[in-house]
Amino acid sequence: MRHPRTFAVTAALGLALAGFGAIPATAATPSSAPASAAHYTAAGKHSAANDQAFYDAVMKSVAKKRAANPLAASVTVYYSTANAPSFTSQISQAAQIWNSSVQNVRLAQSNSGADFQYYEGDDPQNGSYASTDGHGNGYIFLDYSQNQQYYSVRVVAHETGHVLGLPDHYSGPCSELMSGGGPGTSCRNAYPNSTEKSRVNSLWRNGLASAVKPAA
Ligand SMILES: [Zn+2]
């Protein structure tokens, strides 16, 4: 499917999407990591309240969709890759991983009117993180060097897990997606475990109920 508004910078420069060593010169980057960010490694600032704030912002956006189409079987959350052109492969894989793991929420790409956006750039202080602007929109920032150091698909799937409402748990094993950078750079698991899947399904079942307002 073609998205006319997608930046064609990557294709024009002939950069390889598969390798995350390719760094486009025109990456749009948030100016700095806000206080409400959930990071991939414990080095970054993090709190459960921040995770909740981000989830609340995404749900607020989803609630508008539910109001427009209250009979849909599951909630679809739309993401934009327009500002993360060198990560489209990893983002697509992360979406596929989540869509094959949970039933009550679906991720789909739509570069116009998306619920949340992926960004890419250099932020050695904060690394990769998920955040919100507090106005119903969220974004995920993917740090170049961290995505080279760690398995990139795991980084993207982990940050996407924040959008679906999961908090960080750095002390967990590699088999746990939300342990993030905790198990070290050799960890290549990009799938949520059964507990994480159940939690997301539960969150979005509850979220679905609260998002749908009864008819007046
Ligand atoms: Zn995290």
Side-chain angles (χ1 to χ4, degrees):
M1 190 166 68
R2 291 189 60 82
H3 298 275
R5 291 182 187 173
T6 303
F7 294 157
V9 172
T10 306
L13 295 176
L15 298 173
L17 290 179
F20 28 82
I23 300 173
T26 56
T29 307
S31 53
S32 63
S36 62
H39 301 257
Y40 187 67
T41 61
K45 300 186 199 75
H46 168 257
S47 79
N50 295 340
D51 290 329
Q52 188 61 44
F54 185 46
Y55 173 74
D56 287 348
V58 173
M59 286 310 295
K60 194 174 167 185
S61 176
V62 168
K64 290 179 196 165
K65 291 180 182 298
R66 296 300 311 183
N69 189 9
L71 298 179
S74 66
V75 178
T76 300
V77 174
Y78 293 94
Y79 62 86
S80 168
T81 61
N83 294 309
S86 60
F87 288 96
T88 53
S89 171
Q90 292 94 324
I91 291 168
S92 173
Q93 288 178 70
Q96 205 171 359
I97 285 168
W98 276 110
N99 285 343
S100 67
S101 297
V102 298
Q103 295 78 47
N104 292 342
V105 59
R106 293 201 64 76
L107 292 164
Q109 185 185 354
S110 177
N111 283 359
S112 64
D115 297 300
F116 73 99
Q117 302 200 28
Y118 292 92
Y119 284 86
E120 64 181 40
D122 287 305
D123 191 342
Q125 275 199 312
N126 294 292
S128 304
Y129 58 86
S131 187
T132 176
D133 67 356
H135 296 88
N137 297 295
Y139 71 85
I140 286 171
F141 179 81
L142 300 169
D143 176 64
Y144 290 131
S145 61
Q146 188 173 57
N147 277 276
Q148 292 174 316
Q149 193 183 3
Y150 292 86
Y151 181 47
S152 189
V153 178
R154 175 175 165 87
V155 174
V156 177
H158 169 98
E159 298 304 338
T160 306
H162 287 307
V163 177
L164 302 179
L166 294 179
D168 282 311
H169 186 235
Y170 300 125
S171 60
C174 179
S175 57
E176 190 178 326
L177 182 59
M178 300 316 287
S179 61
T185 55
S186 63
C187 176
R188 291 178 65 87
N189 167 51
Y191 282 79
N193 66 19
S194 57
T195 304
E196 292 172 318
K197 292 178 192 175
S198 302
R199 190 164 179 183
V200 167
N201 272 324
S202 173
L203 278 169
W204 286 84
R205 187 164 53 237
N206 294 339
L208 181 61
S210 63
V212 179
K213 291 189 169 68

